[in-house]
Amino acid sequence: MSVTDINWFKYSSPQALYPLAGKLTPWFSALAVILMGAGLYIGLLLAPTDFQQGDSYRIIFVHVPAAWMSMFLYVVMALWAAIGLGLKARPSYMMAQAIAPTGAMFTFLALLTGSLWGKPTWGTWWVWDARLTSELILFFLYLGVMLLRTSIDDARRADRASAVFALVGVVNVPIIYFSVQWWNTLHQGASVSATAAPKMAAMMLLAMLIMSLGFWMYSIAVILARLRCVIREREERSSVAGQVERPVAVGGV
Amino acid sequence: MQWNSLSEFLAMGGYGFYVWVSFGATALCLIGEVVLVRRRHAAVADGDGGGVS
């Protein structure tokens, strides 16, 4: 191991992260449960029926938050990957590793609920249009990042390879986001935008925003919990050297 | 409250299947992910014989 590999991040930060993540997880979990409960209550019981789409529109309360998280988490994952590459910071790679499965899950949910919304609204489960196709590509990008990591035995090479892959794939996110403007598509335009008045009733918008906030808190909680697993797994794998494992274990008690 | 009865709520104006499969799948995925992460944590915690919960 060369001298340049021994840096502040490598030894002190996972030790600090492990107990911190453990302390934060219950708070974000509680926030997630409260927000999702409120969002479901408003969205399913209080929000009015849509005059065009009937009650099928209520799928929006899981579809849009899932789709937002799928894109947002990819950008955050790519950011941690970039920081990891730039600073050779192992905790950054650990964050990227912890984010990927949750991002993939939300991408899957966005596709599934979109399909379940498309059938009654458009009359088809799937079309190969820009929005749907680019979201499907996002799913494959997440899978690619995860598979690349598991297929490389050496942890540092796996970190770098999956980070580079994640960074290249980030160009897909603006394509997803702007696809409804750039191409003709069955998919409706943005439900919320900074420049235009909302096209939805206030109650619908409120439920959607609260659900999104709930999904966000859920993501933080589950990613921090997974980060702890990742830290433990990786310290155990590299514990032949023995420096890191004990402080981490002590920090977690 | 938008609904007059439970059956009306469950029917979702005829879209019950699409709405409930969407919400059900979402709930299943989120809860499933939490269960998987907890198992993973239990597995690493057991592995070293340490007292980390």
Side-chain angles (χ1 to χ4, degrees):
Chain A
M1 191 177 287
S2 69
V3 178
T4 50
D5 285 325
I6 301 165
N7 60 39
W8 183 84
F9 293 102
K10 187 157 187 170
Y11 291 114
S12 58
S13 208
Q15 296 164 33
L17 263 180
Y18 187 88
L20 181 67
K23 278 190 195 116
L24 291 175
T25 302
W27 293 101
F28 284 107
S29 306
L31 277 173
V33 169
I34 293 165
L35 286 164
M36 284 192 226
L40 286 175
Y41 177 73
I42 299 169
L44 289 177
L45 297 178
L46 301 184
T49 300
D50 188 74
F51 75 100
Q52 276 182 326
Q53 298 192 10
D55 287 304
S56 68
Y57 94 91
R58 290 182 202 276
I59 293 171
I60 203 173
F61 301 128
V62 284
H63 175 71
V64 168
W68 277 350
M69 289 315 301
S70 73
M71 292 186 282
F72 177 67
L73 287 177
Y74 195 93
V75 173
V76 177
M77 179 181 74
L79 270 174
W80 282 116
I83 295 171
L85 286 171
L87 299 178
K88 287 189 179 176
R90 228 167 34 136
S92 307
Y93 290 129
M94 291 174 174
M95 277 300 296
Q97 184 183 350
I99 290 169
T102 303
M105 184 208 67
F106 277 124
T107 313
F108 169 76
L109 280 177
L111 290 165
L112 180 73
T113 57
S115 182
L116 283 157
W117 196 3
K119 184 62 181 167
T121 314
W122 306 331
T124 178
W125 298 102
W126 182 263
V127 281
W128 291 101
D129 86 340
R131 173 54 72 84
L132 281 69
T133 306
S134 54
E135 182 76 9
L136 183 65
I137 290 171
L138 184 73
F139 184 60
F140 292 138
L141 287 172
Y142 274 120
L143 293 188
V145 168
M146 290 158 67
L147 280 175
L148 200 54
R149 173 173 295 287
T150 53
S151 65
I152 301 174
D153 279 335
D154 180 58
R156 277 182 297 173
R157 278 187 57 222
D159 279 339
R160 282 197 297 268
S162 59
V164 169
F165 190 97
L167 273 176
V168 172
V170 85
V171 292
N172 186 50
V173 173
I175 294 178
I176 301 171
Y177 190 78
F178 293 110
S179 58
V180 286
Q181 298 171 23
W182 291 346
W183 290 284
N184 262 322
T185 168
L186 269 182
H187 199 282
Q188 65 200 64
S191 307
V192 185
S193 90
T195 50
K199 302 175 196 73
M200 312 164 69
M203 197 74 91
M204 299 177 184
L205 189 66
L206 182 69
M208 198 176 81
L209 294 178
I210 292 178
M211 282 299 279
S212 302
L213 216 56
F215 277 32
W216 196 7
M217 297 302 115
Y218 166 87
S219 302
I220 296 175
V222 80
I223 287 167
L224 286 177
R226 186 180 294 111
L227 179 66
R228 278 160 65 88
C229 302
V230 168
I231 292 173
R232 289 296 293 265
E233 288 162 2
R234 294 179 60 152
E235 300 311 345
E236 265 163 40
R237 275 182 71 184
S238 63
S239 69
V240 193
Q243 299 104 320
V244 196
E245 190 188 15
R246 230 179 110 251
V248 167
V250 168
V253 172
Chain B
M1 180 71 78
Q2 283 296 304
W3 316 98
N4 299 313
S5 68
L6 181 68
S7 58
E8 199 184 304
F9 172 65
L10 293 176
M12 280 286 153
Y15 296 108
F17 170 77
Y18 303 103
V19 172
W20 295 121
V21 173
S22 292
F23 280 78
T26 305
L28 215 65
C29 278
L30 268 59
I31 294 166
E33 190 186 18
V34 170
V35 170
L36 285 178
V37 169
R38 285 197 169 178
R39 275 198 203 153
R40 185 170 168 180
H41 194 263
V44 261
D46 288 346
D48 69 342
V52 177
S53 55

